[in-house]
């Protein structure tokens, strides 16, 4: 699951023990040439309630929504039905993650199945969040969790501002490191302007960089299960997802 960065791990420790509920997939959707399982039920991160009604595929992309009705807030998550390995992962977004309410989290990430490793390992995250803190506006988070428990995850956080609803976010994963980059715009709609980048290239990559193929998750959720401060529902469109494997 996508989780908050190390700086808030202590205050959110209870959220980490709430893993995906076994069998909690309501249906599948086809998007970007892949099949994705749609989550339903309760559990972490958060904890939150997850509703398949908050996920739909339309002509403009995959829609993820946080909805509130009758005092009950529900979130959205999809999981790729296959594992992908070293390569470039690119996500085009339609929305304003740079203006998210402080309790909103959007995660685009790799996460391990139980046979690969436990929570806190084998994860590569792009997350848009302020983790419940109005803070200084640094909503762009990048985190890499090691292939086994022991080494601490590495993390970078950036402020960013979009000129409109279009943005592109990538990570390039190799055996020796992960390079992250975020851009204002889409490639086919006027080009890209670099917003921020980070290269996680540790001295001992076999201890710090995941080495096995992992499924992609995309989720939109509420930090610690708290509703948006502004009381407004949220929707984000994943306009495209493209995986480009590295050549052997």
């Amino acid at each position: 699951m996508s989780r908050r960065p190390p700086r808030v791990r202590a205050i959110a420790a209870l959220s980490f023990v709430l893993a995906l509920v076994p069998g909690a997939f309501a249906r599948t959707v086809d998007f970007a040439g892949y099949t994705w399982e749609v989550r339903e039920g309760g559990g972490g991160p958060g904890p939150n309630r997850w509703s398949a009604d908050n996920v739909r595929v339309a002509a403009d992309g995959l829609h993820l929504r946080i909805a509130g009705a009758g005092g009950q807030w529900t979130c959205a998550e999809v999981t790729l039905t296959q594992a992908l390995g070293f390569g470039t992962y690119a996500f085009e977004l339609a929305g304003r993650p740079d203006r998210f309410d402080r309790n909103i989290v959007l995660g685009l990430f790799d996460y391990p199945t139980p046979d690969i490793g436990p929570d806190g390992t084998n994860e590569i995250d792009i997350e848009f969040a302020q983790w419940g803190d109005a803070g200084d506006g640094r909503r762009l988070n990048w985190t890499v969790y090691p292939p086994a428990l022991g080494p601490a995850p590495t993390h970078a956080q950036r402020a960013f501002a979009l000129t409109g609803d279009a943005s592109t976010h990538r990570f390039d994963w190799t055996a020796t490191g992960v390079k992250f980059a975020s851009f204002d715009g889409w490639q086919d709609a006027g080009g890209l302007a670099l917003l921020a980048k980070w290269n996680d290239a540790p001295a001992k990559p076999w201890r710090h960089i995941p080495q096995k193929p992992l499924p992609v998750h995309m989720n939109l959720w509420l930090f610690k299960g708290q509703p948006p401060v502004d009381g407004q529902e949220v929707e984000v469109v994943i306009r495209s997802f493209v995986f480009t494997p590295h050549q052997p």
Side-chain angles (χ1 to χ4, degrees), residues 119-179:
D119 182 47
T121 70
N122 295 282
E123 186 172 350
I124 301 171
D125 290 339
I126 303 172
E127 292 172 299
F128 305 90
Q130 288 187 270
W131 314 110
D133 183 358
D136 57 7
R138 294 188 297 166
R139 291 183 176 91
L140 178 56
N141 300 263
W142 296 313
T143 310
V144 178
Y145 287 80
L149 293 173
T154 51
H155 176 70
Q157 192 174 31
R158 301 285 189 268
F160 72 109
L162 301 176
T163 60
D165 290 341
S167 63
T168 302
H169 307 273
R170 300 173 180 164
F171 64 82
D172 185 65
W173 172 28
T174 71
T176 58
V178 184
K179 295 180 180 179

Side-chain angles (χ1 to χ4, degrees), residues 37-52:
E37 294 176 315
V38 180
R39 191 174 177 187
E40 180 84 29
N48 282 287
R49 295 294 302 174
W50 307 86
S51 174

Side-chain angles (χ1 to χ4, degrees), residues 6 11 22 54 61 79 82 87-88 95 97 122 143 146 164 169 173 210 223 239 248:
I11 66 172
N54 293 342
T79 302
Q82 65 190 88
T88 299
N122 295 282
T143 310
H169 307 273
W173 172 28
F223 178 66
R239 183 177 186 250

